[in-house]
Amino acid sequence: MSEFQFRSDVTVELVKHSATDSDVATAARVSTIGGSHERVVDLTRDEGLINYLMRDRHGSPFEHTSFTFYVEAPLFVAREHFRHRAGWSYNEESGRYKELEPVFYLPGQERNLIQVGKPGAYTFEPGAPILGLYTRSTMQESYREAFDAYRALLDAGVAREVARMVLPVGTFTSYYATCNARSLMHFLGLRTISKTAAFPSFPQREIEMVAERMEDHLAEQMPLTYTAFNRNKRVAP
């Protein structure tokens, strides 16, 4: 029997990718040089071309790339992530076919807990330290009770697809998410907070944690694209 685990982090691993700045530049240059399949890497030329594509929002060359991520996150994060459909593909572990593990999300001590203001015009503030202790202890108690009920239903012979209905959205799930650079930048524009962004975004902190880790991989694999994305106020082309 698995032990209860409580996590305040998420897992985002880049498991496969085919994504370079030269892929973008090569796809763009077919417009002017035809099908010669030029593969010469010229970072000086590529930088200017990629910035032009980003600035003037010629987005299709960025689609000739691929990132596949493995993610472990709470169910409520996965459901937010799956709302991003254009350019994304997902496969998630199934509570119908496998017994789920008792791994649950707890907000970290640094996680703000109090919403101040109305929807669309609000901020989050920490709240008193005792509120954090109360929140985490209450959530742990609730998680344990729910998972005990899940196990009891399974032991009674109830099908997994029915027994899982008692589990809360803080239960961890795992999934693969595949996207191209264009769809990834659109995701980052909506799910991260940046003072340099042209359009404000108000993501829930937990999906922002996923986005921040994906952003690190974009910056590493496609530095010219990432620089142009930020230079042009984080608007996906």
Side-chain angles (χ1 to χ4, degrees):
M1 182 179 297
S2 300
E3 297 295 327
F4 282 84
Q5 297 180 44
F6 301 101
R7 296 180 54 177
S8 298
D9 64 332
V10 297
T11 296
V12 177
E13 299 176 4
L14 181 62
V15 297
K16 183 172 62 176
H17 63 91
S18 176
T20 68
D21 293 313
S22 294
D23 293 330
V24 177
T26 298
R29 289 192 179 106
V30 74
S31 299
T32 55
I33 66 174
S36 67
H37 305 296
E38 179 186 7
R39 298 295 298 180
V40 177
V41 177
D42 185 334
L43 296 181
T44 302
R45 286 201 305 158
D46 289 355
E47 181 176 14
L49 174 58
I50 288 170
N51 190 68
Y52 160 74
L53 296 171
M54 193 79 67
R55 185 193 67 213
D56 286 15
R57 306 198 71 184
H58 297 293
S60 58
F62 297 95
E63 296 176 8
H64 297 275
T65 56
S66 178
F67 296 85
T68 296
F69 299 99
Y70 170 73
V71 182
E72 294 176 356
L75 283 167
F76 68 87
V77 171
R79 298 302 165 259
E80 282 195 274
H81 198 170
F82 293 178
R83 292 175 65 86
H84 295 264
R85 298 179 298 277
W88 285 87
S89 298
Y90 305 98
N91 275 89
E92 183 184 7
E93 69 171 278
S94 174
R96 296 185 66 194
Y97 303 124
K98 68 179 293 289
E99 184 173 337
L100 300 176
E101 298 295 322
V103 183
F104 302 98
Y105 181 77
L106 288 179
Q109 294 184 5
E110 73 288 349
R111 208 304 189 180
N112 291 338
L113 298 175
I114 303 297
Q115 180 177 320
V116 180
K118 300 179 180 180
Y122 57 83
T123 60
F124 283 94
E125 298 181 4
I130 190 65
L131 183 61
L133 293 173
Y134 173 70
T135 299
R136 286 184 285 275
S137 63
T138 300
M139 292 175 74
Q140 285 192 32
E141 181 180 353
S142 177
Y143 288 147
R144 291 183 185 276
E145 183 176 346
F147 201 81
D148 286 344
Y150 172 69
R151 281 178 168 153
L153 290 170
L154 293 177
D155 291 343
V158 175
R160 291 167 180 162
E161 66 179 44
V162 177
R164 66 177 175 170
M165 296 176 187
V166 302
L167 294 176
V169 296
T171 307
F172 264 73
T173 187
S174 62
Y175 57 96
Y176 287 98
T178 298
C179 63
N180 59 57
R182 187 183 194 182
S183 54
L184 179 55
M185 287 185 286
H186 181 258
F187 173 71
L188 297 178
L190 293 173
R191 300 297 186 174
T192 60
I193 298 173
S194 174
K195 294 180 180 179
T196 63
F199 304 102
S201 182
F202 306 95
Q204 184 163 338
R205 176 55 191 151
E206 286 73 19
I207 197 168
E208 186 182 27
M209 290 159 57
V210 172
E212 287 171 347
R213 286 154 180 76
M214 291 185 172
E215 182 164 346
D216 290 340
H217 290 295
L218 175 66
E220 181 178 358
Q221 302 302 326
M222 303 180 69
L224 299 183
T225 296
Y226 182 66
T227 297
F229 175 56
N230 283 286
R231 182 181 295 148
N232 289 279
K233 298 183 178 181
R234 297 176 69 86
V235 177

